[in-house]
Amino acid sequence: MKLTVSDEGEGIPPEALDQIFDPFFTTKPVGAGTGLGLSMVLGFMQQSGGAVIAKPEVSQGATFELYFPTS
């Protein structure tokens, strides 16, 4: 089963794509966010036997596909 989540924000810069799931990584200024969200999503999906795929588009937002195992 797949759940797709999208936003229409600034997107993810290509040079940051390898780090987006790292704990505390953020491109926001100091005080504007902790950078824990995506690392927690990835951890939950891995513990559940699923996966996450990021599909960013700079200046057009990002789409995340969450794949859940089926029984």
Side-chain angles (χ1 to χ4, degrees):
M1 179 171 57
K2 175 177 82 169
L3 171 67
T4 303
V5 180
S6 299
D7 71 32
E8 297 175 348
E10 296 178 20
I12 302 165
E15 63 273 9
L17 193 55
D18 290 340
Q19 298 174 289
I20 62 171
F21 292 107
D22 292 350
F24 302 108
F25 175 77
T26 183
T27 57
K28 297 176 185 176
V30 174
T34 61
L36 280 174
L38 290 177
S39 65
M40 292 179 69
V41 168
L42 179 62
F44 173 80
M45 293 305 296
Q46 288 175 335
Q47 288 178 1
S48 300
V52 180
I53 296 176
K55 297 183 174 184
E57 293 190 39
V58 176
S59 301
Q60 295 185 20
T63 298
F64 291 86
E65 295 177 346
L66 286 72
Y67 291 88
F68 293 87
T70 58
S71 45

